[in-house]
């Protein structure tokens, strides 16, 4: 009986249901998290109530809307190779989502190269490589469709990123039309963002700038890829859908309210948002 009920709930759960049942083959950690989460959400009548009546959505940018995290990884690998060291995802997890100088300090300290390379010099060195890479940024799968859908349905949407203005302009060069659908965009060098993620500053600033803001954070849904970003959104009291890189350790998934392997899997109706029309 328990087995039948659990299977039934798995079929209802949007984290398992969309696209194909290949989703069932995801990592054990993520599956257990989703099973716990979705089982708690399903009620005895077999319908799946929405977690919260979401009215507004905030998107992270790097690694969530734009496939830019790979550029940071590549540059960091190149620099570390000079010191006969390798860059790995445990270090990546501690850096991603943060403001540039905060991530740079983590990089030189965690790798033990701070005596040879300061955080400031690391930023200067990687800048030239990044400046050439960022204009080639591609969208992540599902980003365009989701943004256009929410905008068309009148759901106010915003971006909250750790990226500063100069990098934002380079990364979005080819995506101006899509980003123009945002009600507003809060950047990492905004005066109201005193501290980067996992501080809630950037998400609280984004919530204040919606019409009628500040809003009840429980009515806001955040999309994030980074552990620090998920924590920042939770610290702001908001709901979070995490779309992590598959190489990120699944121990980072537990803080999010829902974990998806791609934006293509997102089911807006689950959160009380207007559903896709096929
Ligand atoms: O993930 P974001 O958009 O907050 O950006 C943060 C850094 O620029 C990259 O990790
Ligand atoms: Mg990100």
């Amino acid at each position: 009986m328990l087995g039948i009920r659990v299977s039934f709930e798995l079929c209802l759960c949007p984290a398992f249901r969309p696209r194909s049942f290949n989703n069932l083959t995801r990592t054990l950690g993520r599956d257990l998290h989703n099973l716990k989460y979705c089982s708690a959400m399903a009620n005895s009548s077999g319908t799946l109530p929405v977690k919260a009546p979401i009215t507004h959505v905030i998107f992270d940018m790097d690694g969530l809307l734009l496939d830019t995290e790979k550029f940071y990884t590549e540059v960091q690998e190149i620099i570390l190779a000079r010191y006969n060291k390798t860059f790995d995802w445990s270090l990546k997890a501690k850096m991603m989502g943060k403001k540039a100088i905060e991530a740079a300090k983590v990089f030189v300290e965690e790798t033990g190269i701070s005596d040879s390379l300061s955080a400031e010099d690391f930023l200067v060195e990687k800048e030239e490589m990044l400046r050439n890479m960022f204009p080639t940024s591609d969208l992540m799968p599902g980003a365009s469709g989701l943004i256009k859908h929410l905008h068309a349905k009148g759901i106010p949407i915003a971006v909250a990123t750790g990226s500063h203005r100069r990098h934002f302009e380079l990364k979005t060069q080819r995506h101006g039309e899509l980003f123009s659908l945002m009600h507003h965009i809060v950047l990492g060098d905004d005066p109201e963002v005193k501290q980067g993620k996992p501080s809630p500053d950037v998400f609280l600033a984004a919530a204040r700038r919606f019409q009628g803001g500040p809003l009840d954070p429980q009515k806001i849904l955040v999309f994030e890829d980074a552990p620090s970003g998920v924590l920042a959104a939770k610290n702001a009291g908001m709901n979070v859908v995490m779309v992590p890189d598959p190489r990120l350790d699944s121990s980072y998934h537990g803080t999010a309210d829902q974990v998806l392997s791609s934006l293509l899997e997102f089911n807006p109706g689950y959160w009380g948002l207007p559903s896709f029309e096929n």
Side-chain angles (χ1 to χ4, degrees):
M1 183 60 194
L2 179 64
I4 293 169
R5 178 171 170 74
V6 167
S7 301
F8 178 58
E9 287 172 352
L10 278 174
C11 292
L12 286 171
C13 174
F16 288 89
R17 183 181 47 186
R19 303 291 161 193
S20 80
F21 275 88
N22 286 339
N23 294 330
L24 289 168
T25 62
R26 282 188 221 141
T27 63
L28 180 63
R30 180 185 300 176
D31 288 353
L32 285 173
H33 169 67
N34 282 337
L35 174 60
K36 182 181 73 176
Y37 173 67
C38 294
S39 294
M41 298 289 289
N43 64 21
S44 55
S45 68
T47 57
L48 195 64
V50 295
K51 185 166 185 345
I54 296 298
T55 57
H56 294 66
V57 171
I58 301 175
F59 293 100
D60 171 59
M61 184 177 77
D62 291 283
L64 188 283
L65 293 180
L66 294 179
D67 189 9
T68 42
E69 282 296 342
K70 65 183 181 188
F71 300 139
Y72 292 100
T73 301
E74 189 180 336
V75 167
Q76 281 145 197
E77 280 171 347
I78 291 169
I79 293 175
L80 265 194
R82 258 200 351 248
Y83 299 91
N84 292 319
K85 292 176 187 280
T86 50
F87 186 70
D88 65 28
W89 269 81
S90 64
L91 176 56
K92 176 82 180 167
K94 293 176 189 168
M95 295 178 65
M96 60 197 303
K98 296 192 169 167
K99 286 189 184 196
I101 186 62
E102 293 170 356
K105 283 178 182 157
V106 171
F107 181 80
V108 297
E109 279 160 22
E110 293 272 332
T111 56
I113 63 169
S114 56
D115 287 344
S116 314
L117 185 68
S118 69
E120 291 75 15
D121 288 344
F122 165 69
L123 283 186
V124 171
E125 184 168 350
K126 72 175 190 172
E127 181 62 25
E128 193 178 331
M129 288 186 264
L130 291 175
R131 208 170 32 224
N132 293 324
M133 293 171 167
F134 284 155
T136 68
S137 301
D138 287 319
L139 292 167
M140 292 295 279
S144 175
L146 181 55
I147 289 171
K148 286 178 180 167
H149 168 74
L150 293 175
H151 182 263
K153 296 296 180 186
I155 301 297
I157 51 178
V159 166
T161 175
S163 244
H164 55 66
R165 166 74 56 190
R166 191 161 38 80
H167 282 177
F168 171 82
E169 301 292 354
L170 291 170
K171 291 167 182 173
T172 58
Q173 254 178 36
R174 299 193 300 127
H175 311 291
E177 199 178 328
L178 196 63
F179 278 79
S180 75
L181 301 182
M182 299 294 166
H183 182 268
H184 57 275
I185 292 168
V186 184
L187 302 172
D189 55 351
D190 188 289
E192 284 187 39
V193 182
K194 307 285 183 221
Q195 285 184 296
K197 301 167 185 178
S199 153
D201 288 5
V202 72
F203 290 117
L204 294 175
R208 278 193 293 273
R209 291 178 200 181
F210 281 119
Q211 199 169 11
L215 307 169
D216 173 359
Q218 270 299 302
K219 294 185 173 172
I220 299 176
L221 183 60
V222 171
F223 286 87
E224 259 290 351
D225 68 308
S228 66
V230 172
L231 268 177
K234 294 313 294 179
N235 287 336
M238 298 171 184
N239 302 283
V240 191
V241 173
M242 185 182 201
V243 189
D245 186 290
R247 291 164 291 184
L248 184 74
D249 194 279
S250 61
S251 62
Y252 288 109
H253 296 178
T255 316
D257 297 293
Q258 189 177 36
V259 181
L260 303 176
S261 60
S262 161
L263 287 176
L264 291 168
E265 287 187 347
F266 182 64
N267 178 350
Y270 181 67
W271 291 92
L273 291 164
S275 295
F276 290 119
E277 287 136 15
N278 292 322

